[in-house]
Amino acid sequence: MSNLRVAVDVGGTFTDVCIFDEETQRMRVTKVPSTPADPMLAILSGVERAEINLADVSLFSHGTTVATNALITRNFPPAAMVTTKGFRDVIEIRDGTKDDLWDAYNDVTGPYIRRRDRFEVTERIDYAGNIVTPLDEEEARRLAAVLRKRGVTTIAVCFINSYANAEHEIRMRKILEEELPEATVSTSAEILPEIFEHDRFNTAVSNAVLGPLVSGYVSRLADELKTGGYDGDLLLLHSGGGSMTPRMVKRYPVRLAASGIAAGAIAAKHIAQQCGFENAVSLDMGGTSTDIALVSDGELRITKEWQVEYGHPIVFPSIEVLTIGAGGGSIAHIDIAGSLRNGPQSAGADPGPACYNMGGEEPTNCDANVVLNRLGSTLAGGAKTLDRGLSQAVIKRAIAAPLDMSEEEAAHAILQVANANMADAVRLISIRRGYDPRDFALLAFGGAGALHGVEVARELNIPTVVVPPNPGVTSALGCLLVDIRHDLSAMYTAVAAVADPEDLESKYKALETEATARLRHEGVSAENSILQRIISMRYQGQWRSLAVNMGTGDGALEEAIQSFHQQHEREFAFRQDDQPVEIYQLQLSAVGKTPKPSFAPATEWVSEPGEPDSVRPVYFGEDGWVDTPVYDRTKLGAGATFQGPAIVDQLDSTTVVPPRTTAEIDEWLNIRIHLTEFKDEQEAQS
């Protein structure tokens, strides 16, 4: 009988596997080194190492970096873009902005499809959807012949006003499919029916170039799992916090462009709610980067303004995650002005940090933790052996000697810079959005998050840090907690006060019909389907809009307008109740509920952590070298409390409990670390 649920999250350094047994209600985990050249090899290796019989698996979920890496490396198949005459350079001109406005030499990278592969045809539809110039079909067929001669197999069709009337795009696609039966064609109105042509064109182009790569990878993985005995659908996590089956991935591969980073945020929301925290900041620190997300009032923030590379927007709803180059493999260096820097360059999985003894010659955060004895001699249950002597040598050469510091002082300074970088990123996603970090808990996970979490919290005056039971595979856990989800939209411009309720209802019904068809296509029954209406609005005269939930029935629009005023005040610190509100767009979230694991709290309690496995000297900055107990996490029962300093070791991560903190194991086997100075202050204020 199928009783296992398996989730796999592929990271830059390690691939994490999470297995939940429905019969025993227990979870086990494993980690294997990632294989960047072919991520599927690491997945199959993880399945083998975990001794999983695929015939016993009822659900297999996967967060993948294949789409993200493809956009970064630009290793695309031959692709072309077909657009309205005169609009060939929309994706080259962009919106005129730069990531670094003041660096005259640092320009935005070029479009995913080069100019010589972008073609024009004669057609024109106006803003209202009226045909001004019919599509020149003879010209379209001549263009198809050129594409055939060039061997193009992937095509994006992007006409200027297709959001208002997609007739010409649909006809162009049919012509291309007739002339080039082997080609895959994406149309901008199908992918993203929105007004801003740069956003729409670039999203459609991204979808087109990713199609063959992502579809091929997903098909190969699904076939391998089926051969091994798995007879269910492979579920793939997408950027919006839901999952898709391979059938829908073939139509919308671009939705996987932020697949991996969303999983950690989803798991953080689940753990925060288990612990009773409505407000939480997740710190997912891996080997290459740190992903930071914010849970407010029990909900994750959603954004539609994101990109893998600056200047190339992908306008699908996505969990708002801020990613910075701060991971265990981030390289510390001295800049031209003589200042100590940390990242964003990373040693990656190969050669990795110097302590891996695989040829790494630059000091990393991992090396600093090894020098300070915060990390022991192995990682991932012995999969990696760490050489402390090599870490000491590179830190002495690259950092300590040039700055006239001792090895431990240099290693501690490396970590201080990394922690400051992460704290600054948390400020961007919290204080900049009008949230006070002191009202939040910090969830620290990822392979390196529990090493740094308390010090980051100390920088931000956050009183409590929560470390999940398996921090190194928490993102994989997130893959088990998602539902199938699709996001649909339609342009609709009208002043809200005079909008026709019947017309609005008609438009929403059309979106719901399409959403229902997609869910049925993926095997979701009616009783497991949830449709949530969303409406984007703005003050009349504004350019950007805000999305709020939209109810049904009488008074739904008025309630949405009030929600808009409230959200506008939170986001921008003002509201204008007397200003007309304009509807910009109608959106629909379609959710297909999938079975979730039910985690049982601990039933047996202890009061003491027991004897530590060992004691070793650990360096803690101003406290210097302190003899520190090292606990085996598997031996720490619910209810155990202990004072810092302490080190907690486990297969997938190491937790540092610094001096002046108190740690406790809760009923869910999380480690809750209380920062004494901030907790006392918080309790005094309450």
Side-chain angles (χ1 to χ4, degrees):
M1 180 178 177
S2 301
N3 64 317
L4 300 180
R5 300 186 192 192
V6 178
V8 180
D9 179 63
V10 178
T13 308
F14 286 103
T15 292
D16 306 328
V17 183
C18 177
I19 308 103
F20 181 79
D21 191 317
E22 296 173 334
E23 289 184 0
T24 64
Q25 297 288 293
R26 288 187 171 275
M27 189 170 69
R28 56 190 177 94
V29 301
T30 192
K31 295 172 78 76
V32 295
S34 292
T35 51
D38 187 354
M40 188 180 72
L41 297 179
I43 295 172
L44 299 177
S45 173
V47 168
E48 181 179 353
R49 180 169 179 176
E51 298 180 347
I52 299 169
N53 183 351
L54 289 171
D56 295 334
V57 176
S58 62
L59 182 145
F60 197 107
S61 184
H62 175 32
T64 176
T65 56
V66 168
T68 308
N69 293 340
L71 291 176
I72 293 172
T73 61
R74 296 178 175 239
N75 186 20
F76 304 134
M81 172 182 167
V82 179
T83 189
T84 307
K85 186 162 289 187
F87 292 89
R88 178 184 185 186
D89 295 316
V90 163
I91 59 175
E92 189 110 35
I93 297 169
R94 305 183 315 278
D95 57 5
T97 63
K98 294 172 61 175
D99 192 19
D100 187 346
L101 181 63
W102 307 110
D103 189 342
Y105 299 99
N106 183 20
D107 207 351
V108 177
T109 57
Y112 295 135
I113 295 179
R114 299 168 298 181
R115 192 173 197 272
R116 67 189 185 195
D117 296 319
R118 303 196 298 266
F119 301 90
E120 299 177 344
V121 295
T122 301
E123 73 85 31
R124 194 60 186 263
I125 290 175
D126 68 13
Y127 72 96
N130 302 310
I131 296 176
V132 177
T133 304
L135 173 66
D136 188 330
E137 296 197 7
E138 290 187 9
E139 187 178 2
R141 293 188 186 277
R142 289 196 299 271
L143 173 56
V146 172
L147 297 178
R148 186 190 307 110
K149 186 175 181 180
R150 291 194 179 191
V152 172
T153 57
T154 300
I155 306 166
V157 179
C158 306
F159 290 162
I160 185 61
N161 285 324
S162 60
Y163 73 92
N165 181 350
E167 180 181 335
H168 284 177
E169 278 195 351
I170 294 170
R171 181 56 187 157
M172 186 72 212
R173 180 177 63 190
K174 289 181 178 178
I175 291 173
L176 291 171
E177 289 173 345
E178 290 170 5
E179 301 290 332
L180 304 166
E182 71 283 0
T184 301
V185 183
S186 296
T187 62
S188 70
E190 178 189 19
I191 303 301
L192 187 77
E194 296 193 11
I195 187 172
F196 294 115
E197 63 271 12
H198 174 230
D199 294 349
R200 175 162 44 89
F201 284 15
N202 201 83
T203 303
V205 164
S206 300
N207 194 78
V209 297
L210 287 175
L213 298 172
V214 173
S215 297
Y217 167 76
V218 170
S219 296
R220 285 194 303 121
L221 179 56
D223 289 344
E224 287 288 340
L225 295 176
K226 185 176 181 179
T227 301
Y230 177 60
D231 62 358
D233 265 331
L234 169 64
L235 295 183
L236 294 114
L237 185 72
H238 64 65
S239 59
S243 60
M244 305 166 68
T245 64
R247 291 185 292 275
M248 293 306 294
V249 168
K250 290 179 180 179
R251 288 178 61 185
Y252 303 103
V254 71
R255 296 229 63 184
L256 300 186
S259 169
I261 63 176
I266 293 164
K269 173 185 172 181
H270 169 78
I271 294 165
Q273 289 177 334
Q274 268 191 342
C275 295
F277 294 111
E278 288 295 302
N279 298 327
V281 175
S282 70
L283 186 82
D284 181 2
M285 184 179 183
T288 306
S289 61
T290 295
D291 301 321
I292 299 166
L294 185 138
V295 180
S296 173
D297 295 328
E299 295 296 331
L300 288 160
R301 285 182 56 88
I302 302 295
T303 181
K304 289 186 69 177
E305 298 180 9
W306 62 283
Q307 57 264 316
V308 173
E309 287 185 290
Y310 187 86
H312 309 292
I314 298 173
V315 191
F316 271 116
S318 173
I319 293 174
E320 186 175 42
V321 178
L322 179 61
T323 300
I324 63 170
S330 293
I331 295 172
H333 60 281
I334 298 173
D335 67 13
I336 193 171
S339 298
L340 178 60
R341 302 289 183 183
N342 193 300
Q345 301 85 1
S346 174
D350 186 10
C355 58
Y356 281 15
N357 196 15
M358 293 173 57
E361 297 180 350
E362 301 294 337
T364 66
N365 291 330
C366 181
D367 292 307
N369 278 304
V370 168
V371 167
L372 301 181
N373 267 351
R374 299 184 180 194
L375 279 175
S377 58
T378 61
L379 281 181
K384 290 284 186 185
T385 300
L386 308 180
D387 189 323
R388 188 166 184 264
L390 292 176
S391 294
Q392 290 175 312
V394 295
I395 287 179
K396 181 177 181 179
R397 171 183 55 79
I399 307 297
L403 296 180
D404 193 24
M405 304 170 78
S406 66
E407 290 169 13
E408 59 265 30
E409 288 173 336
H412 187 252
I414 289 171
L415 298 187
Q416 283 183 303
V417 174
N419 294 336
N421 289 343
M422 288 184 280
D424 284 344
V426 173
R427 292 185 183 100
L428 285 176
I429 208 167
S430 57
I431 295 173
R432 187 178 179 182
R433 301 282 193 251
Y435 301 98
D436 188 339
R438 293 173 296 182
D439 298 331
F440 287 70
L442 182 75
L443 271 68
F445 54 95
L451 282 165
H452 296 254
V454 175
E455 296 302 333
V456 173
R458 193 160 261 153
E459 287 253 354
L460 297 160
N461 291 4
I462 293 176
T464 303
V465 177
V466 178
V467 181
N470 301 105
V473 296
T474 297
S475 289
L477 169 65
C479 295
L480 289 178
L481 301 172
V482 298
D483 295 308
I484 291 173
R485 173 173 173 150
H486 296 286
D487 298 284
L488 293 82
S489 63
M491 296 303 302
Y492 189 94
T493 305
V495 176
V498 296
D500 183 353
E502 292 185 2
D503 190 36
L504 274 175
E505 182 67 20
S506 173
K507 294 293 191 297
Y508 272 120
K509 287 293 186 184
L511 291 176
E512 288 172 348
T513 299
E514 168 66 15
T516 301
R518 292 190 190 184
L519 292 176
R520 298 298 175 271
H521 184 64
E522 298 198 286
V524 179
S525 62
E527 57 269 24
N528 289 324
S529 301
I530 299 175
L531 305 180
Q532 172 62 57
R533 296 179 178 184
I534 301 164
I535 189 167
S536 288
M537 294 187 286
R538 57 193 179 188
Y539 288 122
Q540 199 167 34
Q542 284 185 329
W543 179 35
R544 294 297 184 187
S545 59
L546 289 175
V548 297
N549 286 339
M550 174 74 170
T552 57
D554 296 338
L557 183 57
E558 288 74 13
E559 291 177 8
I561 293 171
Q562 291 305 312
S563 295
F564 165 77
H565 288 307
Q566 294 167 7
Q567 185 168 329
H568 197 281
E569 185 174 23
R570 173 181 282 279
E571 291 277 341
F572 305 110
F574 77 96
R575 58 189 287 170
Q576 294 180 300
D577 293 64
D578 56 345
Q579 178 74 11
V581 175
E582 185 179 52
I583 300 171
Y584 167 71
Q585 187 182 57
L586 310 183
Q587 302 170 33
L588 186 77
S589 170
V591 174
K593 303 296 289 184
T594 59
K596 308 291 189 307
S598 56
F599 300 97
T603 56
E604 297 181 3
W605 289 77
V606 299
S607 57
E608 299 293 333
E611 290 297 315
D613 281 17
S614 63
V615 176
R616 68 174 183 244
V618 179
Y619 189 82
F620 288 105
E622 63 185 30
D623 295 286
W625 289 98
V626 182
D627 288 336
T628 302
V630 180
Y631 296 100
D632 181 346
R633 181 143 189 196
T634 61
K635 299 176 183 177
L636 294 176
T641 61
F642 50 96
Q643 301 290 323
I647 300 291
V648 182
D649 266 338
Q650 60 190 107
L651 167 73
D652 55 312
S653 188
T654 296
T655 302
V656 173
V657 184
R660 295 177 296 283
T661 62
T662 302
E664 62 175 319
I665 311 298
D666 67 16
E667 66 269 33
W668 307 104
L669 300 183
N670 302 298
I671 303 177
R672 300 197 194 193
I673 305 171
H674 305 292
L675 283 69
T676 308
E677 63 268 40
F678 303 135
K679 185 152 183 72
D680 291 345
E681 176 185 330
Q682 189 183 59
E683 290 175 351
Q685 290 176 347
S686 61

